[in-house]
Amino acid sequence: DASEINNLYDIGGSAWKDVSVGVDFTLNSLKESMAVWGRLQSEPTGDWADAEGYACVINLAGNDDADDATATSATGKLEVRGASYATLQSMDLSDMSKDVWYTLVMKVKSNVVKCELEPASNHNLGLRSYTVTAEDTDYTYLAGSTGLGFYAIAVRCCAMPLENNPNPNPNPNPKPK
């Protein structure tokens, strides 16, 4: 349901080329999903499929039938999305846990999109880190802004342009949608 999706968009970065966007988040439910965008062409509204840009998506939609009150871990996918929200590359997530802080970083350089996910707390649980990379051979998005999409997730975020980006972030605080 698009009405339950929250989006953040940085209005100051429309000409950014090579960017790194990071977010720390914790899952309060194992039915949540998170998206980090790079090279957005316009402000996303509602459904993530409408966002024009690259995305790193944590997709836990397969857990919709799980009993959230008793489940402690979930499976899903870490996906790189491109034009028309098509999946460019994905990998299985085997051990997402509730009440654990994670760090998701998206790096876009030239036509390569890299998504890195790692637990930032509860290291005693032995949770895995994940990395998935995709190359857009069509070079669909050459520049754009950054953003986040989330559903009922606690987040701390910041946009971090790469050192070689000629357009540093003039506004590190994205505009809430």
Side-chain angles (χ1 to χ4, degrees):
D1 180 3
S3 68
E4 299 179 275
I5 295 173
N6 293 296
N7 297 313
L8 296 173
Y9 173 71
D10 193 327
I11 59 174
S14 62
W16 291 349
K17 294 182 178 162
D18 295 339
V19 296
S20 178
V21 182
V23 62
D24 290 335
F25 67 95
T26 186
L27 297 173
N28 300 312
S29 166
L30 296 173
K31 300 175 184 183
E32 301 163 345
S33 293
M34 159 71 74
V36 177
W37 292 300
R39 295 190 185 162
L40 276 170
Q41 303 303 295
S42 60
E43 183 173 6
T45 56
D47 194 334
W48 293 346
D50 296 336
E52 295 179 58
Y54 297 119
C56 290
V57 177
I58 296 172
N59 187 345
L60 302 179
N63 297 296
D64 284 345
D65 293 333
D67 179 1
D68 218 26
T70 58
T72 58
S73 66
T75 59
K77 293 203 178 286
L78 178 59
E79 302 167 337
V80 178
R81 299 286 185 127
S84 302
Y85 202 60
T87 302
L88 299 176
Q89 192 66 261
S90 71
M91 75 178 316
D92 290 337
L93 300 174
S94 60
D95 59 357
M96 297 293 291
S97 293
K98 281 195 295 193
D99 302 320
V100 172
W101 281 95
Y102 292 90
T103 298
L104 176 62
V105 175
M106 170 195 236
K107 296 178 181 176
V108 183
K109 186 164 179 131
S110 183
N111 66 331
V112 176
V113 181
K114 182 177 185 180
C115 305
E116 301 170 330
L117 174 67
E118 68 177 88
S121 70
N122 299 68
H123 298 289
N124 59 315
L125 296 178
L127 301 173
R128 294 182 47 203
S129 294
Y130 300 89
T131 301
V132 62
T133 303
E135 181 178 2
D136 179 4
T137 56
D138 294 329
Y139 290 81
T140 308
Y141 304 111
L142 300 176
S145 189
T146 58
L148 299 173
F150 55 94
Y151 171 75
I153 294 177
V155 297
R156 298 181 291 208
C157 91
C158 58
M160 304 167 290
L162 293 176
E163 291 177 24
N164 63 352
N165 184 348
N167 301 304
N169 184 354
N171 177 9
N173 299 311
K175 177 182 114 183
K177 172 69 179 154

